[in-house]
Amino acid sequence: MPDTESALSAPLVSPAPGGLEFVRAFVNTRDIDAGTDRFAEPASWADWAGGHGIQGTTDAEGLAWAIALRESLRKALLANHDRLPLPASTAATLTDAARRSGAGIAFTPDGVVLVDHGDGMDAVVGRVVGATAAALADGTWPRLKACANDGCQWAFYDHSRSRTGRWCSMQLCGNRVKQARWRTGRAT
């Protein structure tokens, strides 16, 4: 389901808190339903990054690196439905991303913060790594999920009290899945 970053009109998705909103936006650079990918080429990536206050350039290798990170995060967001720990492959991808981007830690009077360095793709990946680390530490990570509709998988933040949200939008994807189940049940 597209959000405010997409040209398609659909109900708005409530934002995730703090840095998780950037992670949600990063994962949603690929719209499975619409068949679009903001990381398909450097120009569309630069438009997206610029919209998030990040300047710089990237190349085909940087885009491939970001796409691998994005899809690994999507896998982790799907695992959050079952309250599973961070998949080992995603942990390894995030560790590699932190190393490659130059992300580091800084000690402040308020505690430890992760900082990104550089510009371009390094800044994007560093911000994703930092926000993910902070969310894992403060317990908000499990609420960031990918829509359970295989044709969507749009990242959303589960604001429900029970933490059992499955779809980016009950009106769209939830309804589609329930109607498909109903049709399948009637066909047998």
Side-chain angles (χ1 to χ4, degrees):
M1 180 195 121
D3 69 355
T4 57
E5 295 168 14
S6 176
L8 300 176
S9 61
L12 296 177
V13 174
S14 296
L20 269 182
E21 179 57 22
F22 186 76
V23 177
R24 189 188 72 77
F26 177 80
V27 172
N28 288 342
T29 57
R30 177 174 172 223
D31 187 334
I32 294 169
D33 191 29
T36 59
D37 189 341
R38 301 295 300 266
F39 292 177
E41 57 187 41
S44 61
W45 171 84
D47 286 344
W48 179 84
H52 291 279
I54 297 173
Q55 302 304 311
T57 61
T58 194
D59 56 16
E61 181 183 345
L63 289 171
W65 175 40
I67 289 169
L69 174 59
R70 177 188 67 199
E71 297 311 316
S72 185
L73 287 169
R74 188 182 316 276
K75 178 180 175 183
L77 300 185
L78 288 167
N80 282 346
H81 285 289
D82 297 322
R83 300 178 188 203
L84 297 173
L86 189 67
S89 60
T90 302
T93 300
L94 283 164
T95 300
D96 181 55
R99 189 175 13 257
R100 286 181 65 178
S101 71
I105 61 170
F107 294 90
T108 71
D110 296 324
V112 178
V113 295
L114 281 116
V115 293
D116 55 56
H117 296 285
D119 60 2
M121 190 59 77
D122 288 343
V124 168
V125 172
R127 193 183 293 181
V128 167
V129 168
T132 301
L136 284 164
D138 71 15
T140 56
W141 175 256
R143 287 182 175 263
L144 191 62
K145 300 176 179 181
C147 183
N149 178 355
D150 290 338
C152 179
Q153 294 187 0
W154 197 253
F156 71 97
Y157 190 79
D158 183 0
H159 289 279
S160 71
R161 180 180 284 185
S162 63
R163 300 178 183 207
T164 57
R166 306 226 14 106
W167 302 290
C168 60
S169 166
M170 185 58 202
Q171 294 78 16
L172 292 176
C173 287
N175 217 8
R176 288 177 188 164
V177 170
K178 289 181 176 192
Q179 286 178 357
R181 253 192 251 143
W182 182 78
R183 280 189 220 106
T184 302
R186 291 196 53 171
T188 57

